[in-house]
Amino acid sequence: RLGGSHTMAGRDKSESATAIADMLAGAAATLVHDGISTPVDVVKQRMQLFGQEGYKGGIFSVAGKIFREEGMRAFYVSYPTTLAMNIPVFAVYFATYENVKRRGEPHPAV
């Protein structure tokens, strides 16, 4: 017989649906998180790499310079690549975390 504890064989449908929901929650959280952190990361990188070449000042002045010279697209040019890396990771992370958390909860007395 093929299958085992690591496959979907024999798993309750509601357990599978819960795992899928947890994975979708992780993917959605990644979309929001990376949508905020990617532009911040662009500003940080510019300050680190080009600090001596006109990217001086605070975070807001550097962000303004990037926006004026390159437009909004500059902040999100790496967003698709970041999502391609992070969505699978955090989908599995969320599902695993929630599964372990559920299994660690005490069962009600029968």
Side-chain angles (χ1 to χ4, degrees), residues 8-9 14 32-33 39 43-44 49 55 60 64 66-67 76 90-91 103-104:
M8 296 297 281
S14 65
V32 174
H33 172 269
V43 172
K44 176 196 67 138
L49 293 173
Y55 285 95
F60 295 111
I66 295 168
F67 182 75
Y76 288 97
F90 286 101
R103 292 180 190 279

Side-chain angles (χ1 to χ4, degrees), residues 31-78:
L31 287 170
V32 174
H33 172 269
D34 289 351
I36 295 167
S37 67
T38 298
V40 173
D41 201 40
V42 168
V43 172
K44 176 196 67 138
Q45 289 171 1
R46 298 290 176 92
M47 290 175 79
Q48 288 174 332
L49 293 173
F50 304 112
Q52 304 300 322
E53 300 173 18
Y55 285 95
K56 292 184 179 184
I59 292 170
F60 295 111
S61 66
V62 172
K65 179 179 174 76
I66 295 168
F67 182 75
R68 282 188 305 279
E69 293 180 1
E70 301 174 53
M72 192 66 157
R73 186 179 184 285
F75 292 107
Y76 288 97
V77 74
S78 66

